[in-house]
Amino acid sequence: MKHLSSLAARCAALALAGCLALTGCSAPSSSAPASSSQPASSGSQPVEEPDTLRVGYSISGGFNPYVTNDLMVLQVSDLVSEKLVEITPEMQLDYRVASSIVSSGQTVTIQLRSGLYFADGAPITAEDVAASINAARASAAYSGSLAHVTDLQVQGDQIILTLSRPDSLFAWLCALPVVKAAEVSATQPTASGRYTYGADNTLVPNSYSQFASEGAPQTIELVDASSYDALVSGLSVGSIDLYATTRESVSTAGYNSRTTSFQMNYLVFLGINSDGNTALQDARLRQALSAAIDRDVLCQRAYYGGALPARGAINPLYPCVTGVQQIQVASDLSRCETLMAEMGYKKQASDGLYYDASGRRLELTLLVCTDSALKRSAATILKEQLSEAGFSVILEETDDFEGIYSQKIANRQFDLYIGEVKLYNNMDLSPFFEGGALSSGILQNPELAAAYQAFTADSGQAEAFETLFGTQLPWLPLCWRSGTLVTSKQVTGIVPSVSNVFYSMQGSLPDASSASAP
């Protein structure tokens, strides 16, 4: 393996600003497991060793995300705690402690894999898994996504969950760390993952792990860094080798660093006020607007390639929607013109814009919060594309996210707005439907709501839902924004995913600078 020593609600359900703060927070004290030593903070420059990866670590946070909602705690727990499942960079399921997860109606059956052990040699039991799931349900980090779990029972080597509603993609919510039942409140629970606690601020390979990668670093050196700025600074001065962030704007160490995108479930969308603007109540007008947008250009220009074009309501990488989504990535101005003509709109030769049969120009306001540079850029590009297609678009800008921007949306004082939401990994779209946090102004179609409910009960109904969504388009999905892994230029073979910054660490993998985004 290449030498590595020269070598994550503003994200609530209504995450229209879209960033996660990397802040350390204090946690209840806990003694270290008898089988491991307690890492300590070190103010000295780390000693470089062959095959060592230096990772930022919040000494006050520890290693247990069930204790504290801290992104760095979550990331280091990816190294020391195995999960029921991982989600691959391509949004597929990678079963780990669970060998299968089956959703049927309001019941989820989790079959556990046998022969797995903690780092001290104790077997991983169903009771440990049950306690971990219950800890997740009570935690700040996971309680929102698991709020519809109403009951949990252990039956032999199975965990039986009861849900308040069907959830066909529940397995994607099961990227949950497994800890000992007696240690769910410990800041440093006994390791179950690829690494365990070593001496002198280090993690070392867990000999009991069945999921270790050949060629992974033999030592993880933990460097105390209690904030995002400390991570950026640490990479710049060479005290750490990498950090991951979901922020829109990424600080790097310039010539000494490289960035790699990884897919997340941050949906950037165009909200449509069909309730307040009668013209937008016609699905053909919403289809025409969608056809005028080149989503690939939007991703490349506004998001600098750090986004995946939307093809439907669901992230296109999910296996249930492969090849069945209706939205075209490239613009289709011919289709746009046909749809507008069907509604009686004609372009005036003098300005190239659409007018209705009474001679009134079709004008649309586009609301954008300018405290996001990427969304401001996206708004400018969207205006250009829509204007080229014949729509008169007036940009309405404000940098007051909590005040003017959010209030205008809540009060339906817009025609269109650019928003962003962090969706749970089970593709829960309920925020867009009646009563949801993002439903303001969105046309509520009972047939589409029924199709969505059918999909949540059976993922095999995804095609029917996406087909109907493609004809209705009550909101316009634009793209799925990516996260960013920032590394020193010497780092190779680190492949992140939405569930694990360190999803794969193999020296045989392509150099990170040439790896394409998932």
Side-chain angles (χ1 to χ4, degrees):
M1 178 177 176
K2 184 177 177 66
H3 184 285
L4 295 173
S5 61
S6 304
L7 280 232
R10 282 259 294 255
C11 255
L14 187 58
L16 303 174
C19 80
L20 277 175
L22 291 169
T23 58
C25 45
S26 51
S29 60
S30 171
S31 59
S35 62
S36 56
S37 58
Q38 176 76 30
S41 174
S42 172
S44 61
Q45 189 74 6
V47 177
E48 294 196 5
E49 301 178 306
D51 223 15
T52 296
L53 181 68
R54 294 170 298 177
V55 174
Y57 156 72
S58 172
I59 190 171
S60 63
F63 300 86
N64 189 348
Y66 300 147
V67 171
T68 179
N69 187 20
D70 182 287
L71 190 55
M72 276 193 287
V73 173
L74 183 62
Q75 290 179 358
V76 295
S77 78
D78 289 341
L79 295 166
V80 299
S81 293
E82 199 52 76
K83 298 176 183 175
L84 289 173
V85 301
E86 292 283 10
I87 303 173
T88 74
E90 297 78 24
M91 293 295 181
Q92 311 293 303
L93 289 179
D94 179 1
Y95 286 95
R96 297 297 182 90
V97 176
S99 60
S100 68
I101 300 176
V102 178
S103 297
S104 178
Q106 292 174 234
T107 301
V108 175
T109 303
I110 303 174
Q111 179 66 51
L112 302 181
R113 194 186 301 273
S114 61
L116 300 183
Y117 300 88
F118 290 98
D120 62 357
I124 296 176
T125 67
E127 288 70 25
D128 294 319
V129 174
S132 298
I133 295 174
N134 280 331
R137 292 171 63 192
S139 71
Y142 299 98
S143 59
S145 63
L146 301 177
H148 59 315
V149 178
T150 61
D151 186 58
L152 181 154
Q153 299 292 328
V154 176
Q155 296 183 7
D157 57 357
Q158 292 182 338
I159 306 294
I160 310 298
L161 302 178
T162 301
L163 310 181
S164 61
R165 55 175 173 78
D167 187 349
S168 62
L169 298 185
F170 185 86
W172 273 260
L173 297 179
C174 291
L176 303 173
V178 174
V179 299
K180 284 187 176 183
E183 298 176 0
V184 293
S185 297
T187 55
Q188 187 182 316
T190 304
S192 60
R194 292 170 290 176
Y195 289 85
T196 188
Y197 314 106
D200 301 325
N201 242 28
T202 64
L203 301 176
V204 296
N206 175 10
S207 61
Y208 283 97
S209 174
Q210 293 190 10
F211 303 100
S213 301
E214 183 178 352
Q218 290 300 297
T219 304
I220 304 291
E221 184 170 349
L222 301 172
V223 180
D224 188 29
S226 59
S227 68
Y228 175 75
D229 289 342
L231 292 172
V232 175
S233 176
L235 184 66
S236 178
V237 301
S239 61
I240 66 171
D241 295 313
L242 81 172
Y243 65 89
T245 180
T246 61
R247 293 182 176 219
E248 287 187 342
S249 300
V250 178
S251 300
T252 70
Y255 68 90
N256 193 39
S257 67
R258 70 172 99 244
T259 60
T260 303
S261 295
F262 60 95
Q263 190 57 51
M264 302 189 305
N265 284 321
Y266 283 73
L267 173 63
V268 180
F269 63 93
L270 197 62
I272 300 176
N273 188 7
S274 299
D275 189 46
N277 186 323
T278 56
L280 290 168
Q281 292 177 4
D282 194 322
R284 292 172 296 180
L285 179 52
R286 301 194 298 272
Q287 292 173 22
L289 289 169
S290 183
I293 298 170
D294 191 316
R295 290 167 171 80
D296 188 55
V297 169
L298 188 70
C299 289
Q300 294 301 318
R301 288 181 55 194
Y303 291 90
Y304 305 99
L308 180 71
R311 295 179 177 273
I314 299 166
N315 188 316
L317 294 180
Y318 276 63
C320 61
V321 295
T322 302
V324 305
Q325 294 182 304
Q326 304 299 308
I327 294 175
Q328 298 298 311
V329 170
S331 60
D332 187 343
L333 298 185
S334 176
R335 172 170 167 73
C336 178
E337 290 179 3
T338 298
L339 290 165
M340 295 301 288
E342 287 179 4
M343 292 181 287
Y345 287 97
K346 294 182 179 180
K347 284 185 181 179
Q348 198 168 90
S350 60
D351 57 13
L353 299 177
Y354 283 113
Y355 289 75
D356 64 17
S358 66
R360 183 174 56 187
R361 186 168 63 192
L362 176 63
E363 290 188 345
L364 300 170
T365 61
L366 174 56
L367 176 65
V368 60
C369 185
T370 55
D371 71 350
S372 163
L374 296 188
K375 291 184 186 64
R376 183 176 190 176
S377 176
T380 301
I381 293 168
L382 282 174
K383 179 179 178 179
E384 291 174 358
Q385 293 183 350
L386 293 174
S387 297
E388 181 182 350
F391 297 98
S392 175
V393 177
I394 302 170
L395 279 185
E396 186 173 350
E397 302 180 348
T398 176
D399 61 2
D400 184 3
F401 175 83
E402 300 291 346
I404 296 173
Y405 176 77
S406 297
Q407 289 171 12
K408 279 184 172 289
I409 293 173
N411 295 333
R412 305 182 182 188
Q413 296 174 330
F414 65 92
D415 293 324
L416 311 170
Y417 77 89
I418 295 181
E420 179 175 303
V421 60
K422 179 186 178 183
L423 294 180
Y424 294 133
N425 291 334
N426 64 340
M427 290 289 100
D428 181 1
L429 298 174
S430 60
F432 290 100
F433 289 95
E434 188 170 2
L438 301 172
S439 62
S440 181
I442 289 178
L443 188 68
Q444 298 299 316
N445 181 292
E447 187 181 1
L448 183 64
Y452 173 66
Q453 293 302 320
F455 159 67
T456 62
D458 177 7
S459 62
Q461 297 299 312
E463 181 174 3
F465 167 65
E466 286 285 8
T467 298
L468 185 57
F469 180 84
T471 64
Q472 294 297 314
L473 293 178
W475 68 91
L476 298 188
L478 298 175
C479 63
W480 299 86
R481 188 170 61 78
S482 303
T484 305
L485 179 70
V486 185
T487 69
S488 62
K489 284 194 173 180
Q490 292 75 20
V491 175
T492 61
I494 309 295
V495 180
S497 80
V498 69
S499 70
N500 194 327
V501 170
F502 307 98
Y503 174 75
S504 179
M505 296 190 292
Q506 296 182 4
S508 60
L509 291 177
D511 186 274
S513 63
S514 61
S516 59

